């Protein structure tokens, strides 16, 4: 395998033990030449992700008495991680960085989670960190400067050994920190993969891959091992949350396959998204809060995107309010309060009964 870019989400960076798993994964495959990290996320001991804690620091910026407590909570989180990894404590640096950041801007404040996460991991592994501010370039109007980003990233391809890159942020022409959309480290990973002309983009998280339906609602949901970019894009738009929808274009356009993997089960295959996979796989994605603008009352509608070109003909109490089939995709809508039941029902009708 040539070059692999591996992005690890907040569950994988949430604590020292998980960061040690990432280290083992990198050492196991020299092709993993770039590691993109999110800020520490939620785990059994921490009900809040660091980015949300930083958002609170920003909200409290004008209330110094309470700001100190909020900043300390973030610093303590990084202290715990450093202690668990046995690396020098960065909590003083974290405190300083966050106090400085809240005097600058919200994006700067939010970006400190990824920055510190990458810094600590670089210290633990001894691998070099490249600040995302030097790689991900924004225009003055806040849009991504794709040309400059590509140029910046090209250099990474020729560096020897893995480098660590913080996800989620970059900088404008004036050096001012800007952020991608929330959960945007997926986008950083895809941009880095495209810029490095990688052979594979790995997206590691705490889920096994793409499932036939949300497994929290449908216990019989199954893993989908292969899917094409076109269908993945449609499912993302319909509400599948495994990947940020905006991360699909950079890799699909560069012809780079994306593999969804579970950091805690590195031996399982996960899901491979590849433009060469043309087959449409049965899958149901929905959002409890979605609506069709031409249907009233809009707020009461749940939309399910189903990858098949078939108008559903289901009668009885679970009959949908409507169905639209076009472009190999069917959108079925139910009253919003029926979301969970409708998801289970559609899975039974369209997937389980086809076996
Ligand atoms: N930490 C950022 C967020 O929570 C970005 C990310 O996790 O991808 O939105």
């Amino acid at each position: 395998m040539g070059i692999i870019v591996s992005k690890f989400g907040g569950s994988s960076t949430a604590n020292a033990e998980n960061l040690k798993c990432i280290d083992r994964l990198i050492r196991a495959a020299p092709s993993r030449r770039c590691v993109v990290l999110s800020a520490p996320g939620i785990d059994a001991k921490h009900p809040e992700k660091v980015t949300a804690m930083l958002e609170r620091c920003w909200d409290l910026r004008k209330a110094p008495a309470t700001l100190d407590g909020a900043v300390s909570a973030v610093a303590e989180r990084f202290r715990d991680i450093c202690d668990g990894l046995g690396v020098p404590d960065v909590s003083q640096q974290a405190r300083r960085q966050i106090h400085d950041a809240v005097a600058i801007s919200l994006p700067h404040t939010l970006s400190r989670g990824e920055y510190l996460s990458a810094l600590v991991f670089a210290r633990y592994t001894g691998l070099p960190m490249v600040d995302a501010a030097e790689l991900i370039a924004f225009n003055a109007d806040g849009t991504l400067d794709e040309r400059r980003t590509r140029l910046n990233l090209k250099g990474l391809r020729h560096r020897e050994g893995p480098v660590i890159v913080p996800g989620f942020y970059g900088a404008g022409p004036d050096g001012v920190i800007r952020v991608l959309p929330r959960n945007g480290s997926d986008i950083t990973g895809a941009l880095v993969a495209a810029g490095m002309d990688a052979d594979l983009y790995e997206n590691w998280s705490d889920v096994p891959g793409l499932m036939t339906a949300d497994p929290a609602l449908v216990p019989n949901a199954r893993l989908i091992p292969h899917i094409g970019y076109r269908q993945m894009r449609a499912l993302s738009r319909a509400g599948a949350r495994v990947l940020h929808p905006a991360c699909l274009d950079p890799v699909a356009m560069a012809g780079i396959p994306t593999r969804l993997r579970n950091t805690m089960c590195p031996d399982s295959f996960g899901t491979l998204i590849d433009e060469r996979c043309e087959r449409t796989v049965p899958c149901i994605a929905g959002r409890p809060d979605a609506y069709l603008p031409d249907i009233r009352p809009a707020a009461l509608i749940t939309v399910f995107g189903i990858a098949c070109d078939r108008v559903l003909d289901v009668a009885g109490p679970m009959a949908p309010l409507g169905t639209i089939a076009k472009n190999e995709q069917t959108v079925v809508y139910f009253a919003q309060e029926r979301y969970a039941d409708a998801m289970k029902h559609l899975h039974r009708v369209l997937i389980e009964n086809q076996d």
Side-chain angles (χ1 to χ4, degrees), residues 7 10 38-39 49 51-52 110 114 168 181-186:
K7 180 260 167 179
S38 280
K49 56 182 190 170
T51 311
L110 298 182
E114 270 70 12
F168 186 44
R182 290 305 299 270
N183 301 315
S185 298
D186 282 352

Side-chain angles (χ1 to χ4, degrees), residues 295-316:
I295 310 284
R296 279 179 220 227
L300 289 179
I301 302 299
T302 284
V303 180
F304 290 91
I306 299 169
C308 69
D309 206 343
R310 170 170 149 203
V311 177
L312 271 193
D313 180 17
V314 195

